[in-house]
């Protein structure tokens, strides 16, 4: 193994599935290369097979790694359309802490409606069986009375999380997380009756404990600028009996890539997500702050943020207990050569509903357009130009949307 300037040798060796001294396996070498390419601190991998001099049935594998910057300290600003507004951020993030392959991050972010402080430590190899472990905390302050993209309320949230991940096969993984969350919610003079009724019936200070179970499959050839493979996950989070609010959420998401033309670097991407939640015990539905919302650059482009969601009594998006969204993209190399620049023609669809029984296929909204994404040295830049397919009078549409300063 060569090229590992800042990474310890064993970090790469533990990803290689071709055993030294074992029988040659082209499939094991292919899997090893893909696993190495998925590491966030690896830019490229080349594995050369070299005959051992004087031997007719032995070869050496020369693994050449091209590393990229694994950590960064950033102080920056961002500007987003669709109600995101101006934000300031600062953070320290290291995907390859001390060359051991662990990830450590501390981030501060101030957006239009919230301030967030977060710390996380993730070790992908807690033991040599590839059992991962992570822990962290998140402190968030929310005030939404300065935007029209969500109902008005104020809240303080503290989250503590401890997780383990268990490999089931080369590509499949089972994850288990324990979370504690404290919410302190306050109404404002412009809060809708739905939130006022919620606080009156349930109080405004909640200690919740959740149990999150997820199963994921990842066969992508690379974590960055993927060209083939897919990543799929199914998760269920249950806020256990004894919590001040008892409810559960189920999420399914899939993201697939198909290389259509290798010479022209033409890739088809199909992505979808479905969210469902419900209360149990003495809790009716999802809490307003944990509901699903749709619309905007991250779900259905061409529509304002959260605008494809159920609305409250003040005509602001409050979200619902069921949401579905999907995307199809043709990703291609732009005519101008710029590093880390990708363009795509896309078609989006989706919507959030009050509950599953309210779902109507004919109410789904869609859009088509062109997107440009650039991972610049100063942060991510994304721009989309789109046209809604079936907008109606009263729909809040945006033909141009952008995001600066975030990846």
């Amino acid at each position: 193994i060569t090229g590992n300037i800042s990474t310890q040798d064993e970090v790469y060796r533990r990803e290689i599935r071709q055993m030294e001294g074992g029988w040659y396996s082209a499939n094991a070498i292919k899997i090893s290369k893909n696993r190495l390419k998925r590491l966030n601190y690896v830019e490229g991998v080349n594995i050369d097979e070299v005959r051992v001099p004087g031997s007719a049935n032995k070869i050496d594998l020369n693994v050449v790694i091209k590393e990229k910057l694994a950590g960064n300290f950033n102080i920056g600003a961002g500007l987003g359309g669709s109600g995101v507004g101006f934000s300031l951020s600062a953070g320290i993030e290291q995907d390859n802490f001390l060359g051991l392959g662990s990830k450590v991050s501390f981030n501060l972010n101030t957006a239009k409606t919230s301030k967030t402080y977060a710390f996380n430590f993730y070790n992908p190899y807690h033991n040599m069986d590839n059992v991962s472990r992570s822990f962290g905390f998140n402190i968030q302050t929310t005030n939404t009375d300065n935007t029209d993209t969500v109902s008005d309320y104020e809240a303080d949230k503290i989250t503590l999380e401890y997780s383990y991940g268990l490999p089931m096969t080369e590509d499949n993984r089972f994850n288990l997380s324990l979370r504690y969350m404290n919410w302190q919610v306050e109404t404002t003079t412009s809060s809708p009756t739905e939130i006022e009724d919620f606080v009156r019936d349930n109080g405004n200070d909640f200690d919740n404990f959740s149990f999150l179970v997820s199963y994921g499959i990842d066969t992508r050839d690379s974590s960055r600028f993927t060209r083939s493979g897919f990543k799929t996950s199914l998760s269920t989070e249950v806020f256990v009996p004894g919590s001040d609010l008892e409810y559960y959420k189920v999420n399914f998401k899939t993201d697939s890539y198909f290389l259509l033309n290798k010479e022209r670097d033409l890739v088809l991407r199909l992505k979808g997500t479905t969210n469902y939640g419900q209360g149990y015990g003495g809790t009716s539905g999802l809490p307003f702050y944990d509901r699903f919302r749709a619309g905007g650059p991250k779900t259905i482009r061409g529509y304002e943020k959260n605008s494809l969601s159920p609305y409250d009594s003040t005509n602001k998006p409050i979200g619902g207990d069921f949401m579905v969204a999907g995307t199809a993209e043709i990703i291609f190399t732009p005519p101008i050569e710029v590093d880390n620049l990708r363009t795509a023609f896309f078609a989006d669809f989706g919507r959030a509903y009050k509950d599953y029984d309210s779902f109507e296929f004919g109410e789904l909204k869609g859009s088509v357009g062109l997107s440009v994404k650039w991972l610049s040295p100063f942060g991510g830049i994304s721009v989309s130009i789109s046209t809604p397919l079936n907008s109606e009078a009263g729909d809040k549409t945006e033909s141009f949307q952008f995001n600066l300063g975030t990846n």
Side-chain angles (χ1 to χ4, degrees):
I1 297 177
T2 60
N4 50 325
I5 299 172
S6 60
T7 307
Q8 295 191 18
D9 197 70
E10 65 176 289
V11 173
Y12 293 129
R13 287 187 177 273
R14 65 194 184 190
E15 302 294 341
I16 296 177
R17 295 304 181 256
Q18 173 65 61
M19 294 293 100
E20 289 183 293
W23 290 103
Y24 173 87
S25 172
N27 186 56
I29 294 174
K30 180 181 178 181
I31 292 173
S32 302
K33 186 174 182 179
N34 286 340
R35 290 182 66 90
L36 290 169
K37 288 171 65 178
R38 287 182 207 152
L39 298 176
N40 289 333
Y41 39 90
V42 172
E43 185 171 339
V45 179
N46 190 45
I47 300 180
D48 297 322
E49 301 176 12
V50 181
R51 288 280 181 183
V52 175
S55 175
N57 62 350
K58 293 181 181 179
I59 63 172
D60 284 332
L61 294 183
N62 294 334
V63 182
V64 183
I65 304 288
K66 184 179 180 181
E67 295 185 329
K68 63 183 179 183
L69 186 64
N72 62 80
F73 171 74
N74 64 80
I75 299 177
L79 183 63
S82 194
V84 176
F86 182 78
S87 64
L88 294 173
S89 63
I92 299 175
E93 187 171 292
Q94 174 59 255
D95 287 320
N96 189 14
F97 185 62
L98 299 178
L100 298 173
S102 298
K103 180 176 181 178
V104 178
S105 64
F106 179 78
N107 289 285
L108 161 66
N109 186 279
T110 61
K112 186 175 182 180
T113 60
S114 64
K115 294 182 177 66
T116 303
Y117 308 87
F119 169 82
N120 185 264
F121 174 84
Y122 172 72
N123 183 1
Y125 279 82
H126 177 58
N127 61 27
M128 289 310 298
D129 293 324
N130 197 198
V131 174
S132 64
R133 183 182 69 165
S134 66
F135 54 87
F137 68 85
N138 182 294
I139 302 173
Q140 184 179 73
T141 300
T142 302
N143 186 342
T144 64
D145 62 1
N146 57 352
T147 182
D148 292 327
T149 61
V150 68
S151 300
D152 288 348
Y153 69 96
E154 296 179 0
D156 293 322
K157 181 181 74 167
I158 298 175
T159 303
L160 303 176
E161 181 173 1
Y162 195 88
S163 304
Y164 277 99
L166 308 175
M168 309 304 291
T169 68
E170 284 293 339
D171 302 318
N172 299 12
R173 196 167 192 84
F174 177 82
N175 295 287
L176 177 65
S177 298
L178 300 176
R179 292 177 176 174
Y180 162 74
M181 279 171 273
N182 173 260
W183 279 89
Q184 294 182 355
V185 180
E186 299 291 342
T187 60
T188 68
T189 54
S190 53
S191 292
T193 56
E194 292 88 345
I195 294 181
E196 291 177 346
D197 292 344
F198 177 88
V199 172
R200 183 195 64 225
D201 296 339
N202 299 281
N204 65 349
D205 192 342
F206 312 108
D207 288 311
N208 297 328
F209 299 86
S210 78
F211 190 72
L212 174 64
V213 177
S214 67
Y215 191 84
I217 305 173
D218 189 354
T219 67
R220 296 173 301 165
D221 64 338
S222 175
S223 62
R224 185 180 184 186
F225 297 137
T226 308
R227 290 174 174 82
S228 65
F230 67 91
K231 184 176 183 179
T232 298
S233 68
L234 175 65
S235 65
T236 300
E237 183 174 19
V238 179
F239 288 82
V240 299
S243 298
D244 291 333
L245 297 173
E246 298 173 350
Y247 61 99
Y248 63 89
K249 298 188 295 181
V250 180
N251 169 262
F252 172 78
K253 55 185 177 182
T254 183
D255 196 0
S256 301
Y257 297 82
F258 306 89
L259 183 59
L260 302 179
N261 189 302
K262 187 175 182 180
E263 292 182 356
R264 298 185 178 182
D265 199 15
L266 199 65
V267 178
L268 170 65
R269 182 187 188 187
L270 300 175
K271 182 174 67 171
T273 183
T274 301
N275 294 310
Y276 172 76
Q278 188 57 262
Y280 69 94
T283 305
S284 177
L286 295 180
F288 68 90
Y289 56 76
D290 224 359
R291 292 180 181 174
F292 309 116
R293 303 176 182 89
K298 295 184 178 180
T299 50
I300 302 98
R301 288 162 285 193
Y303 292 86
E304 290 187 11
K305 183 182 178 182
N306 299 337
S307 64
L308 299 180
S309 310
Y311 281 68
D312 61 26
S313 58
T314 64
N315 200 36
K316 291 186 177 182
I318 194 171
D321 294 352
F322 180 72
M323 189 271 279
V324 60
T327 296
E329 291 183 341
I330 297 293
I331 305 172
F332 59 94
T333 303
I336 56 174
E337 292 188 9
V338 179
D339 289 341
N340 301 323
L341 178 67
R342 301 284 275 179
T343 52
F345 293 113
F346 68 84
D348 293 344
F349 73 90
R351 195 181 188 101
Y353 297 85
K354 180 180 179 181
D355 50 42
Y356 178 77
D357 294 333
S358 301
F359 173 77
E360 292 287 344
F361 184 81
E363 293 181 358
L364 290 172
K365 297 293 184 178
S367 65
V368 294
L370 172 70
S371 71
V372 179
K373 296 181 180 179
W374 181 37
L375 295 180
S376 75
F378 312 103
I381 299 174
S382 62
V383 176
S384 66
I385 302 172
S386 54
T387 300
L389 291 175
N390 54 345
S391 61
E392 300 173 338
D395 286 346
K396 299 178 180 179
T397 61
E398 286 182 338
S399 59
F400 178 79
Q401 293 172 321
F402 64 95
N403 230 14
L404 308 177
T406 61
N407 290 329

